[in-house]
Amino acid sequence: MDLKEIIRLEHSKTNCRKITNWIGDQQDRFDQLFRIFLGDDFCDSQRASWPLSEAVIAHPSLIRKHLKALVNNLDRPGQHEAIKRNTVRILQFINIPTALQGKVMDLCFNYLISPTEKPAVKASALTVIYNLSQKHPDIRNELLAIIDQQWDQESKAFRSRASAILKSLSAVNLNR
């Protein structure tokens, strides 16, 4: 399969499914997709981000060797919202290595407080921070403060995700 050709064919759920089915659990096929995702072609990178996230959700081990590059890619200036959205979405479903946790926390906290960040990115960032708070309970107060500060001006997606997190954190505090 010529992966670039398929990615360029159309940006649809059907095409995303076709690509992720082709990749399956095959690391070499995933690596091809990841190279396109990191490539210099803006449109190809954007279109590769959706099947990339779907492949990782189905087979989280595929991203393991690419995690540092995945996180560092968020620092590239002018990243399309789809790349951020799908990257942060991936981070919700994987075990983030200790060496990358600080950088991921910084990125996600910055997304949460940004007045221009898209709702889907913020909702996923909430989950990533919450997941990391299980290993780093000291960040819970900062997470709670941001939820409280942002609540009134945020989207329904943010408030829905924040409500679930607040419930979970309340349950944790009650069990102590």
Side-chain angles (χ1 to χ4, degrees), residues 154-169:
E154 284 300 341
S155 67
K156 288 180 183 180
F158 179 97
R159 290 193 302 267
S160 174
R161 191 76 57 100
S163 290
I165 288 169
L166 291 172
K167 257 187 195 173
S168 292
L169 289 175

Side-chain angles (χ1 to χ4, degrees), residues 89-105:
R89 181 175 182 238
I90 287 169
L91 294 173
Q92 295 177 100
F93 296 102
I94 61 167
N95 224 349
I96 300 168
T98 304
L100 294 173
Q101 290 175 5
K103 183 169 187 167
V104 169
M105 279 185 229

Side-chain angles (χ1 to χ4, degrees), residues 2-164:
D2 184 343
L3 194 52
K4 264 193 185 181
E5 183 179 311
I6 299 299
I7 284 172
R8 290 174 176 169
L9 187 63
E10 67 178 336
H11 191 59
S12 68
K13 190 172 192 169
T14 301
N15 206 34
C16 178
R17 200 173 301 126
K18 180 179 184 177
I19 293 166
T20 54
N21 287 340
W22 177 76
I23 290 170
D25 64 355
Q26 302 298 305
Q27 186 69 54
D28 60 326
R29 292 178 177 187
F30 181 82
D31 294 348
Q32 287 178 48
L33 179 63
F34 195 78
R35 281 191 297 276
I36 295 168
F37 172 74
L38 286 185
D40 291 331
D41 186 296
F42 179 76
C43 190
D44 288 351
S45 295
Q46 177 188 342
R47 287 184 172 197
S49 69
W50 186 11
L52 187 86
S53 69
E54 293 293 329
V56 172
I57 291 167
H59 304 283
S61 64
L62 292 174
I63 195 66
R64 191 173 299 130
K65 74 180 197 177
H66 300 290
L67 263 174
K68 186 175 182 179
L70 180 79
V71 171
N72 287 339
N73 191 49
L74 288 171
D75 282 336
R76 285 173 67 179
Q79 277 300 14
H80 189 274
E81 189 269 332
I83 291 172
K84 284 195 286 188
R85 179 182 64 242
N86 285 300
T87 299
V88 180
R89 181 175 182 238
I90 287 169
L91 294 173
Q92 295 177 100
F93 296 102
I94 61 167
N95 224 349
I96 300 168
T98 304
L100 294 173
Q101 290 175 5
K103 183 169 187 167
V104 169
M105 279 185 229
D106 286 345
L107 287 164
C108 288
F109 275 125
N110 286 334
Y111 293 149
L112 291 177
I113 63 173
S114 170
T116 59
E117 199 55 69
K118 301 291 185 198
V121 173
K122 287 186 172 195
S124 292
L126 279 169
T127 300
V128 172
I129 294 293
Y130 171 74
N131 291 344
L132 288 170
S133 80
Q134 304 308 302
K135 295 176 184 172
H136 304 281
D138 52 307
I139 67 171
R140 288 182 185 153
N141 287 337
E142 188 174 353
L143 176 59
L144 292 170
I146 288 173
I147 289 171
D148 186 52
Q149 291 167 356
Q150 304 287 90
W151 187 269
D152 291 335
Q153 66 261 14
E154 284 300 341
S155 67
K156 288 180 183 180
F158 179 97
R159 290 193 302 267
S160 174
R161 191 76 57 100
S163 290

